Amino acid sequence: MTYPARRVRRPFPWHVVVFLAPAVLIYTVVMIYPILSSLWLSLRNQAVGGPEHFVGLANYHKLLGTELYAQPLWNAVRNNVVFFVIHMLAQNPVGLLLAVLLSFRLRGAAVYRTLLFTPTVLSVVIIGFAWKLILNPAWGVQRGLLEPLHLQALDQPWLGLPGTALPTLGLISVWQNIGIPMLLFLAALVRIPEELYEAARLDGAGGWRIFRSIQLPLILPTVGIVSVLTFVGNFNAFDLIYSVQGALAGPNFASDILGTLFYRTFFGYQLQAGDEYMGAAVAGVMLLIILSGLLLYLVTVQRRLTEVEL
């Protein structure tokens, strides 16, 4: 008579817990707790001189249903979408182009990488102040740079016109942050085996054919990651707009985004009194937009990329 072998129970991997615990603890304190605390604050309110009490979704109803808050909110959402589209159409394609050029082992490639990445590590306050000096129509240096090129028609107050302020700030942000997608794309490109390039050249493929048939398909996961980082970063943007245009995000709120709207609503600005409960509601809307975008990416793009890899 044979007896079934006893199943050996593996000990619990406590060493994994020990290694993960510091990171999980720090992430919880720095990220998870503030997010949950902000969401809880958005569900509460306080009457004048009264105690704080739970109001459910009343703050969100007020945010979306009253003209005082709804009009600035939708204006900020619209501007945020435009800000994001500028980065997707300018920053990421140009970053990919630069990465492809640098992957061809150019002479001085390390110097080019350093120069292109330098704006990314500079303080956003310095960048904002420098571009305000450059683009100032009264005593900025743009006029002196454009006149020798006979481009006086481009000497405009780009940051002072409602139609051009936001695109100008978007292009400044592209210039500042283009080093991040460039390095991510470059890291993906250098992992492609050299044998694939050699086989393609033997078949008579040129540079465009190599990029379209070899490089781009193999770096599609990185393209998705860069797109997600661009989306999250743009809908969390605040510092560049604030340093250049101030909390009012002028002119006439033409460059107002969710970050500056949250700042004015939560802390108050000039004659506008701060309301921490409504500010938390604005933060809740920002979180909802970001989570919705990430979910859409996971359901559509990431699933297709996984199917292609399989």
Side-chain angles (χ1 to χ4, degrees), residues 26-305:
I26 294 175
Y27 187 78
T28 301
V29 173
V30 176
M31 295 293 296
I32 302 299
Y33 175 75
I35 290 175
L36 296 178
S37 178
S38 177
L39 290 176
W40 175 245
L41 185 64
S42 69
L43 302 177
R44 301 177 67 82
N45 211 320
Q46 183 179 19
V48 179
E52 187 179 72
H53 58 282
F54 181 79
V55 296
L57 299 178
N59 291 331
Y60 291 95
H61 183 268
K62 182 178 179 181
L63 181 65
L64 298 173
T66 60
E67 185 178 357
L68 177 63
Y69 291 103
Q71 194 276 333
L73 175 66
W74 293 118
N75 176 64
V77 171
R78 182 172 58 252
N79 290 339
N80 242 137
V81 172
V82 173
F83 201 66
F84 167 67
V85 171
I86 291 173
H87 284 75
M88 287 295 295
L89 297 181
Q91 174 181 283
N92 294 347
V94 174
L96 178 58
L97 174 63
L98 294 174
V100 171
L101 294 177
L102 292 175
S103 68
F104 288 134
R105 299 179 180 178
L106 299 176
R107 179 178 297 179
V111 177
Y112 297 143
R113 286 198 302 268
T114 303
L115 292 176
L116 292 170
F117 194 77
T118 297
T120 306
V121 299
L122 292 178
S123 169
V124 69
V125 177
I126 295 176
I127 290 176
F129 182 72
W131 278 102
K132 286 182 69 175
L133 292 179
I134 294 173
L135 299 177
N136 190 291
W139 38 268
V141 300
Q142 70 169 357
R143 180 171 302 175
L145 296 175
L146 294 174
E147 285 182 353
L149 301 175
H150 303 287
L151 297 175
Q152 292 89 340
L154 298 179
D155 184 20
Q156 301 290 333
W158 300 108
L159 294 174
L161 299 176
T164 60
L166 185 62
T168 302
L169 289 167
L171 294 177
I172 293 174
S173 179
V174 167
W175 173 81
Q176 177 192 3
N177 297 301
I178 200 170
I180 297 176
M182 180 193 71
L183 287 186
L184 291 175
F185 288 136
L186 183 60
L189 289 170
V190 298
R191 292 198 303 266
I192 300 176
E194 187 65 28
E195 292 80 4
L196 296 178
Y197 295 129
E198 294 176 358
R201 295 189 185 99
L202 289 176
D203 290 339
W208 170 247
R209 181 68 181 274
I210 291 175
F211 171 76
R212 187 182 62 182
S213 302
I214 297 177
Q215 291 178 321
L216 184 59
L218 292 178
I219 66 171
L220 280 180
T222 303
V223 173
I225 292 174
V226 171
S227 300
V228 169
L229 293 176
T230 303
F231 175 77
V232 175
N234 279 271
F235 276 88
N236 275 324
F238 166 75
D239 46 7
L240 179 64
I241 307 293
Y242 181 78
S243 63
V244 176
Q245 302 291 74
L248 292 178
N252 195 24
F253 303 104
S255 57
D256 193 22
I257 58 175
L258 289 170
T260 50
L261 175 63
F262 163 76
Y263 178 88
R264 292 197 312 275
T265 306
F266 194 97
F267 297 102
Y269 191 76
Q270 293 183 354
L271 298 179
Q272 178 179 347
D275 188 335
E276 58 183 7
Y277 305 102
M278 295 303 299
V282 175
V285 172
M286 294 173 63
L287 179 63
L288 178 62
I289 293 175
I290 292 174
L291 291 180
S292 300
L294 293 178
L295 181 62
L296 180 63
Y297 167 79
L298 292 175
V299 171
T300 58
V301 179
Q302 185 62 35
R303 177 179 293 179
R304 293 183 180 180
L305 290 178

